[in-house]
Amino acid sequence: MELESSSSSFSKPKSQWTYDVFINFRGEDTRRSFVCHLNCALSKAGVKTFLDEENLHKGMKLDELMTAIEGSQIAIVVFSKSYTESTWCLRELEKVIECNETYGQSVLPVFYNIDPSVVRHRDEKHDFGKVLKSTAEKNYSGEHLENALSRWSRALSEASKFSGWDASKFRNDAELVEKIVEDVLTKIEYDVLSITKFPVGLKSRVQKVIGFIENQSTRACIIVIWGMGGSGKTTAAKAIYNEINCRFGHKSFIEDIREVCSQTESKGLVSLQEKLLSDILKTNHQIQNVGMGTIMIEKRLSGKRVLIVLDDVNEIGQVEGLCGNCEWFGPGTVIIITTRDVGLLNTLKVDCVYEMEQMNENESLELFSWHAFDEAKPRKDFNELARSVVVYCGGLPLALRVLGSYLNNRRKNLWESVLSKLEMIPNGEVQKKLRISFDGLSDYMEKDIFLDVCCFFIGKDRAYVTDVLNGRKLHAKTVITDLIGRSLIRVEKNNKLGMHPLLQEMGREIIREKLWKEPGKRSRLWFHEDVLDVLTKNTGTEAIEGLALKSHLTSRACFKTCAFEKMKNLRLLQLDHAQLAGNYCYLSKQLKWICWQGFRSKYIPNNLYLEDVIAFDLKHSHLQLLWEEPQVLQWLKIFNVRLLWKNPKVLWNLKILNLSHSKDLTETPDFSTLPSLEKLILKDCPSLCKDNDLGDLAPMLSNLSNLRSVMVQCHTKFQLSEQLETILSDVYGVNYTKIEMTSQISKYSSKYYLNGIGNCEVLDTLSNSISEGMATSESCDVFLPGDNYPDWLAYMDEGYSVYFTVPDYCGMKGMTLCVVYISTPEIMATESLVSVLIVNYTKCTIQIHKRDTVISFNDVDWQGIISHLGPGDKVEIFVIFGNGLVIKKTSVYLMCDESINRETEPSLEPKKEIKNYAFVIFVNKILIVVAFGLFLFLFIYRSVVFPRREEL
């Protein structure tokens, strides 16, 4: 039982403490029993103790004893029945109280076989007070007697006020000793682990993790700190350890695990097991092998409350060999793991993964300035240069520290030289640290895909890249996920792949190194001058697998196709705004990806081998048709005679075709030759529907079984309305008139269909709410739930569509569609579903998602949807069903994760808006007919009537 009190606010610098604990006690009462056990337990816990009687027997003088008291952080005072018989105990106690008042020394009283009130009051009813007076009388007389008695009485009174322990409240001495040791360990100021000299931005990051730990209460937890090399994981882990280690009696920080294990293989892990046991148990252990060490750790540390930090883990076996899992240890245990590869820990029950946040611009500039200028801001004359270096470092603490230290006290011209050099040759120390992650990749597939991404696919859609790279049977989906887990690649906004600029440089430097070591073996070309050199001098080789040339929009660069003749293994080709002249048969037959923006020909050459191409990007092209038609068909078109002609070339592997911004494109491709097409992009192709006819969508949506979705981009709201009417009526056979329920259908009760898109954590809650409402109400108006902030926002409408305005600051993470319908018992909604249309009236887009896509919406589909929805956008969602299923009401629930500011929208209802456009279309068509009639009249008049009048 603890007795509450307060302590002094003064504090002695921890560097001046000689001992952790000074034990003050009466030897005859407790030396061979309680105090002996206490001292032994403290020593085993790593606490440096001073036992007064033990040291006096070795010849220590009284003044040396007082110095030992001054040099101790904590004084444990063991009060017993005969305590006041000892003048040594009383003099020591005087000094203890003095040190508390002077230096802030902690005082912990233990009342052993004596009541705390007896010590506190010392009345003559008890021997404790009588003996105190007797001891003073034996040693002093006159004024000295009164003085000593006053000093000792005060010391006893002050000591008894401190928070301590009453031994009578514990079952046995062992329990009391354990409690005292635990409390002592929380009060000792240990020497902290050495961390960075300039902890810029560290406190806020550390507090996030500590806050999580404190919220776990007595629960054991595993926390992972994850990030790329040089991002500050170890520094953060040390800072957390320094902050919380005083709360734990058993603790260990195991550093550089990857390096130790790689140097000595299995013996390295054994040595780490020995260190862990030594740190926690304070004894040395000899371990023969990893298996023996694992068993020993489990048994010896079983049930103990521990703090363990495992720094720089790169194999799951390291975690298993050192701490297994939380079940080995007692409540309140905290295990912190730092790693570059979060995927390694999937088999563990991890409670929290903290990804190291990239330093922002201000933090980066401050950290760099401390290293480069020894102050928080750059010197005025170096301000622009300093900011350039900070941009280059991309918020990576390692790079900021290394370059800042190197440039410290250097002249301005050297700074300029270093910056120029960095653009060509990255800093060696930084690259060495980053290279560890690449070298740790397990096989050539992972390394190949990483190099492909860093050279060609930064900023590209993740699903798009996965499809392209899967063409080599590289299991790209799994590998890209693994690379993300290793912090080598990151997923940015709208599901685009990103990479830290220094990692991208590292990857490209690896390719350069190979060229230097083996001339002619360079596998990827991306540097503009290098590509120009190869294409103009015809120096390509079979080693080249990827080539990217990004010319300016106004470029007129033209190369001969024969420059590609030797590049037999070329699979990735980017030629933006460049032209090729000659026979296209020279290009590789291994091509999987072609990105050729600004393609200048009217047709794709028939001798360009495309049978293995997966993605074909022809944005801003001059194409009129995809394939050149026979000459006879072109002549017949002049006379408005059109014959059906099928291109004999079937592209079995083509999944993605992008023809956006191809202003001259007049016809969509023959979809029968593209059986695997999944994504077709025809954004801003004005020469395609000039009669606004989208009838071609019908065969595309029905024939292309792999096609998941289509997006139509319109230029005006008027055009949007026309396209929407065409799609709904011509493609899906739907009209705007209200569908009347037949008596046969209306007798059946209402049913509902739910479909979640994106993050829909509350889907079950929503479903249960609807089910409960349906059980108690016949009206769908009643049982459909409304807003349930902060879980969702609800929007509802009659019929097969629902209209809403995307809320500001919503942070929309998902949506759920709900359709209330009536049908005969044998008709199921999932089987009758045809398509879902998402119409954005603000951005003038229509997204069409086929049934197979809707019933299996994935993260990629959600990213495609959300990327076209912005705050304030006016949106309508149409849910199309067949088989006579009648929709009564459609609702959408937006899942939001931020504060929502929902206001009343003074906009037209969507169907009224559409009907208004429909009326305008109708009037427009009448005007077109009238205009055509007037034109016909003038033509006849000028060609027939007017000549005759001239003759007359």
Side-chain angles (χ1 to χ4, degrees), residues 627-649:
W627 317 113
E628 185 176 9
E629 296 177 340
Q631 191 69 36
V632 64
L633 293 182
Q634 296 181 35
W635 278 102
L636 288 172
K637 281 186 178 179
I638 297 176
F639 301 99
N640 288 330
V641 177
R642 292 179 177 269
L643 297 178
L644 182 64
W645 175 77
K646 286 187 175 291
N647 183 359
K649 184 182 292 188

Side-chain angles (χ1 to χ4, degrees), residues 712-718 720 840-846:
V712 180
Q713 173 75 62
C714 301
H715 296 283
T716 64
K717 288 187 176 181
F718 177 77
L720 174 72
N840 189 323
Y841 295 105
T842 305
K843 290 187 169 67
C844 293
T845 60
I846 305 172

Side-chain angles (χ1 to χ4, degrees), residues 28-46:
E28 292 180 4
D29 285 350
T30 58
R31 183 178 64 246
R32 296 185 180 278
S33 55
F34 171 75
V35 170
C36 178
H37 297 313
L38 176 61
N39 185 57
C40 183
L42 288 170
S43 297
K44 282 187 175 180

Side-chain angles (χ1 to χ4, degrees), residues 937-952:
F937 169 76
L938 291 174
F939 176 78
I940 295 173
Y941 179 81
R942 286 186 60 84
S943 59
V944 180
V945 179
F946 187 76
R948 289 186 179 179
R949 291 186 64 182
E950 287 290 318
E951 290 176 5
L952 293 173

Side-chain angles (χ1 to χ4, degrees), residues 665-679:
L665 189 67
T666 58
E667 292 183 14
T668 55
D670 179 2
F671 297 116
S672 65
T673 65
L674 308 173
S676 300
L677 193 67
E678 295 180 5
K679 189 173 185 180

Side-chain angles (χ1 to χ4, degrees), residues 596-631:
W596 202 335
Q597 296 192 34
F599 183 73
R600 292 182 187 160
S601 298
K602 295 180 180 179
Y603 319 100
I604 296 174
N606 286 326
N607 57 355
L608 175 60
Y609 188 87
L610 298 172
E611 275 71 359
D612 290 328
V613 172
I614 295 168
F616 204 176
D617 187 338
L618 290 163
K619 289 187 289 190
H620 300 283
S621 76
H622 294 257
L623 288 171
Q624 294 180 3
L625 297 173
L626 221 59
W627 317 113
E628 185 176 9
E629 296 177 340
Q631 191 69 36

